[in-house]
Amino acid sequence: MARGGRHDEGADGVTDSGSGGREVPGPRSAGRYLWWLVVSQRGRVAAGATYGSLWMVGMMLPPYVLSRAIDDGLAPGRMPVLLGWTAVLLGVGVLNAWLAVMRHRTMTRIRMDATFRTVRALVAQTVRLGAALPGKVTAGEVVTIGIGDVVVISKTLTMTGPGVGGVLAYAVVALLLLDVSPLLAGVVLLGVPVLAVLVGPLLGRLQGAQTRYRERQSGLAARLTDLVGGLRVLNGLGGKAVFADRYRHASQALRGEGYRVGAVTSWVQALGIGLPTLFLAAVTWPAARMAAQGTLTVGELVAVYGYAAALVVPVSFFIEGGYDLTRGLVAARRVVRFLALEPAGADRAGKAGADRAGKAGADREAPVVASVLHDPASGVEVVPGQLTALVAARPAESAAVVDRLGRFADSAATWGGVRLDEIAPARLRDRLLVADNEADLFAGTLREVVGGRRDPSEEAIDDAVRTALAEDIVRGLPGGLDAPVEAQGRNLSGGQRQRLRLVRALLADPEVLLAVEPTSAVDAHTEAGIAARLHAARAGRTTVVTSTSPLLLDRADRVYFLVDGTVAAVGGHRELLDEQPGYRRLVSRGEDEDEKGAGTGRRPVGAAEAPVTEEGTR
């Protein structure tokens, strides 16, 4: 999209629209982020914990009821009593089955809510960072966080249900066994802490291994994204095999790290199954000896075995909960790190500007009428209602001026005497648009691609398409405006993509349009037509372009010649040709190369729209 939309907020946190206006924790710890996910749905979590606790405690009741049925009904041969306890056992089983269903449904909703809440936060942060995102985090990292870490975090919240119930069930069993035998109660009370001591070190090792694995995984995903995105260029340069070999080596290193994670995970999972079984044996063995000695009745022996067997479930949940929490902290740490990223310069400038505007944090209003844009760093002054061109031997210098005038870099630039960093970004973006010549094109129909967030009329689209000399694109695609456009315009040539970006910027119809090299990828004939129509279409509106093309500069009302990033001369194109040798050399070089069709990447008529071959050449 055009760079005018890449900064939306400037707030310290990311607003989550689905959480009643609450803000997602920014630069905080992973634990606090998980806690935020819990308190954001505290009612549902409380319900899940209640269902989980009742279900887990309910699992401890059947052994008690069964022991009563044996001792009070079966052993003395009292059939009515046996049938009564049997009915109670059936009722307990039905109730517990219902509790299990409700627990599972509630925990599923908790996990889904946590997933969607994290996804919303990530999307909001991605939009907030905008064009600054690629410079701060790789696309592979964003994908890995959005797919892998989100799922891991949501699964961690499962422990809020059975985890709480497991603690209560553990306490209930200890009390029940205390009535049967203090020795057995002591074994239970001491057994679970021993299990925690045995599993704890493994969970610590797992967290370290999991962190290293995720770091390598995100790096590998980023390399794969770059490889796929640059496949056409790599084919042309003959470097596909080299990059594929690098990816292969990195993949093998990731596999080795995965084996280390798997080794620790296998021990944790093995202990999760084996230790509860050993725990069951440790409780059952002394109970059986006590029953053989006549200290326990048959019913009490059955009850003890049932308690220990049922306690296997909460003990397993303890171990699995620790495993999930370890993985969740690793994933949450990456999410928090992403949410803590700040847009380069702009937000810092916005905060400083807000402080200058007043301790209450009120933002200054943008000028009501068309006003002068001024960049003190370069000396450029953009007069409202004119087409202004910036010329520099190094394109980065003129682009830097646009960044400052567009408030995408920290600067003292002003608009009508008001510093840009004192104006609320949302208000500024409604009136000022920076159109980058490499702005993203998202997948969708041609109409959606050029329409952006607006729903322009057919007449407006036709006018913008005509101004950008893009009629041939509409006619050439099957379906016209309803034809599909692939992500980044992969089914279009470079010149076609650039003209569609210009169409999109024109349809946005900003009060101030700052365009970076809007015609660098088109041929001279197309460029001449765009220059003439752009001047007419933006008549009376403020427009700034960066270019060294004489075809575009000849249409400008005012041209700034920049040397080392500052204004060396200002005037009309022909005036500067006559008075500035440096300007003349820079611009006439473009004229000569237009005639030759070589030298600086500018092509003769018809060359820019040539089809792309399999090797990546035109």
Side-chain angles (χ1 to χ4, degrees):
M1 61 186 295
R3 290 161 67 190
R6 64 180 176 183
H7 297 313
D8 295 328
E9 293 285 342
D12 293 337
V14 180
T15 299
D16 180 3
S17 59
S19 57
R22 295 178 60 85
E23 285 191 349
V24 175
R28 299 187 180 185
S29 67
R32 293 185 68 179
Y33 181 80
L34 294 178
W35 178 245
W36 173 80
L37 290 177
V38 172
V39 298
S40 295
Q41 46 177 332
R42 56 175 66 88
R44 190 178 290 129
V45 169
T50 301
Y51 285 128
S53 299
L54 293 175
W55 169 68
M56 199 78 75
V57 172
M59 293 177 63
M60 308 304 154
L61 295 181
Y64 174 78
V65 175
L66 189 59
S67 69
R68 303 308 304 166
I70 293 174
D71 288 344
D72 297 345
L74 183 61
R78 300 165 60 185
M79 187 59 62
V81 175
L82 177 62
L83 292 176
W85 282 115
T86 302
V88 172
L89 184 62
L90 176 62
V92 170
V94 172
L95 176 61
N96 220 34
W98 179 81
L99 289 173
V101 171
M102 296 304 296
R103 178 199 66 83
H104 182 75
R105 290 179 60 183
T106 305
M107 298 314 302
T108 299
R109 289 172 179 169
I110 291 174
R111 288 192 295 268
M112 293 179 65
D113 184 279
T115 297
F116 295 142
R117 201 174 293 271
T118 301
V119 168
R120 282 198 300 266
L122 293 173
V123 171
Q125 174 70 343
T126 301
V127 173
R128 177 170 172 262
L129 292 173
L133 180 64
K136 294 179 173 292
V137 63
T138 65
E141 174 70 358
V142 176
V143 171
T144 306
I145 292 175
I147 295 177
D149 291 332
V150 169
V151 175
V152 172
I153 288 174
S154 63
K155 188 177 179 182
T156 303
L157 266 65
T158 301
M159 62 185 300
T160 61
V164 176
V167 176
L168 293 178
Y170 172 62
V172 168
V173 168
L175 291 175
L176 291 173
L177 286 177
L178 189 61
D179 184 58
V180 175
S181 168
L183 174 62
L184 296 177
V187 172
V188 171
L189 289 174
L190 293 176
V192 174
V194 170
L195 296 181
V197 171
L198 293 175
V199 177
L202 284 175
L203 295 179
R205 286 186 57 190
L206 177 63
Q207 184 170 358
Q210 194 83 24
T211 300
R212 292 189 297 272
Y213 178 80
R214 281 290 291 106
E215 294 288 346
R216 287 183 178 271
Q217 186 182 39
S218 62
L220 188 64
R223 181 166 294 183
L224 178 61
T225 302
D226 294 340
L227 181 64
V228 173
L231 193 58
R232 178 184 295 176
V233 177
L234 291 175
N235 276 333
L237 297 175
K240 184 171 65 174
V242 175
F243 274 79
D245 188 58
R246 291 179 182 174
Y247 179 83
R248 188 180 302 109
H249 286 300
S251 179
Q252 291 171 351
L254 177 65
R255 181 182 61 187
E257 199 67 52
Y259 285 155
R260 283 185 282 274
V261 173
V264 181
T265 301
S266 64
W267 274 106
V268 173
Q269 293 177 343
L271 291 176
I273 297 174
L275 288 180
T277 304
L278 293 176
F279 177 74
L280 175 62
V283 175
T284 305
W285 183 75
R289 289 183 59 85
M290 293 171 68
Q293 295 170 358
T295 307
L296 296 181
T297 66
V298 175
E300 288 175 332
L301 175 62
V302 171
V304 170
Y305 178 83
Y307 295 149
L311 202 58
V312 168
V313 177
V315 170
S316 298
F317 268 119
F318 289 153
I319 297 175
E320 292 177 8
Y323 171 67
D324 289 338
L325 180 60
T326 299
R327 298 176 67 229
L329 288 172
V330 173
R333 191 175 298 119
R334 303 183 68 82
V335 170
V336 168
R337 188 164 60 190
F338 178 77
L339 295 177
L341 295 177
E342 291 290 343
D347 278 1
R348 293 192 301 271
K351 294 171 189 174
D355 291 340
R356 284 191 297 270
K359 296 300 182 181
D363 292 307
R364 297 280 299 276
E365 291 290 340
V368 179
V369 298
S371 303
V372 173
L373 270 172
H374 177 56
D375 175 35
S378 63
V380 171
E381 286 192 351
V382 179
V383 178
Q386 291 188 357
L387 174 59
T388 302
L390 307 180
V391 181
R394 292 187 290 272
E397 294 178 358
S398 54
V401 176
V402 170
D403 276 343
R404 292 193 291 269
L405 292 176
R407 195 187 158 179
F408 290 135
D410 192 2
S411 74
T414 61
W415 190 12
V418 180
R419 284 178 61 112
L420 292 176
D421 55 20
E422 295 179 358
I423 303 174
R427 298 177 189 145
L428 189 66
R429 300 295 165 234
D430 286 338
R431 299 174 58 186
L432 186 149
L433 174 70
V434 177
D436 199 310
N437 64 337
E438 295 183 354
D440 289 339
L441 292 175
F442 299 108
T445 64
L446 183 58
R447 187 189 307 274
E448 294 170 341
V449 169
V450 299
R453 63 178 179 176
R454 305 175 186 271
D455 186 17
S457 64
E458 291 287 341
E459 182 181 359
I461 294 177
D462 290 342
D463 290 343
V465 167
R466 189 178 306 109
T467 300
L469 255 69
E471 299 100 322
D472 62 305
I473 304 176
V474 179
R475 291 193 302 266
L477 292 175
L481 290 173
D482 295 319
V485 175
E486 296 179 8
Q488 302 300 336
R490 289 192 297 266
N491 57 331
L492 304 172
S493 70
Q496 289 174 329
R497 290 194 293 269
Q498 188 171 56
R499 284 183 285 159
L500 288 185
R501 293 185 182 105
L502 181 56
V503 171
R504 182 172 58 184
L506 292 170
L507 282 173
D509 195 26
E511 178 181 331
V512 179
L513 173 61
L514 308 172
V516 178
E517 301 287 347
T519 59
S520 60
V522 300
D523 58 72
H525 175 73
T526 304
E527 186 175 46
I530 292 176
R533 296 183 185 184
L534 179 63
H535 186 275
R538 294 285 300 174
R541 314 276 281 179
T542 305
T543 307
V544 178
V545 297
T546 68
S547 179
T548 57
S549 167
L551 298 171
L552 193 57
L553 297 174
D554 194 39
R555 294 285 181 172
D557 299 306
R558 175 178 293 194
V559 179
Y560 282 94
F561 177 43
L562 305 177
V563 176
D564 295 330
T566 59
V567 175
V570 58
H573 169 61
R574 299 187 183 278
E575 178 185 351
L576 293 178
L577 283 177
D578 294 337
E579 299 177 0
Q580 296 293 325
Y583 178 85
R584 184 168 56 251
R585 285 193 299 269
L586 177 62
V587 173
S588 62
R589 180 180 62 184
E591 288 178 330
D592 294 341
E593 287 163 358
D594 274 342
E595 295 172 1
K596 297 176 183 179
T600 63
R602 302 183 59 81
R603 303 175 180 87
V605 175
E609 303 303 325
V612 179
T613 67
E614 186 178 354
E615 289 76 17
T617 58
R618 293 184 180 275

